[in-house]
Amino acid sequence: MSESGKEKIVRELISRGNAEWKEQSKISVLLYWESPKETASKLYKWVEDNFLKGNVLTVYELHKGEDMKETEFFGMDEIVLRKAIDILEKENKAAVLKGSTCDEDGVKFF
């Protein structure tokens, strides 16, 4: 495939919210199976369905925890998960509580 063909595909994926440039130089692309917005919606629905509003879960628990093994979030790339959490934070549906390590960061859901 030509370079211009590749560029068209990447631009289309970015416009749909299924990709973004990893850096300013636009050398590498981060691809999403579903957009971070869709992941955020699914995560918040899971929180609601499991009566977890008001609770704090660590980032580690959300993508590596024992209770998550049967969910689509188990094993999810942390970058994707954090982008979804950032969206929920902007929508005032969650707040990130900084831990001593990245995995110990907590997320309180509202």
Side-chain angles (χ1 to χ4, degrees), residues 10 13 15 25 27 34-35 37 43 56 61 81 83 105:
V10 169
L13 288 169
S15 73
S25 60
I27 294 172
E34 55 192 13
S35 72
K37 180 87 170 144
L43 178 58
V56 176
E61 288 174 311
L81 179 61
K83 287 187 179 293
D105 285 353

Side-chain angles (χ1 to χ4, degrees), residues 62-108:
L62 288 170
H63 71 111
K64 294 181 185 172
E66 190 69 30
D67 293 339
M68 301 304 283
K69 282 191 175 180
E70 301 301 319
T71 72
E72 65 186 284
F73 310 109
F74 186 76
M76 179 177 281
D77 185 274
E78 187 175 337
I79 293 170
V80 175
L81 179 61
R82 284 188 178 272
K83 287 187 179 293
I85 292 167
D86 288 346
I87 290 167
L88 293 176
E89 195 169 30
K90 287 176 184 156
E91 294 175 346
N92 296 316
K93 294 179 178 179
V96 175
L97 311 168
K98 293 295 179 192
S100 56
T101 67
C102 291
D103 274 346
E104 290 177 359
D105 285 353
V107 183
K108 182 168 185 170

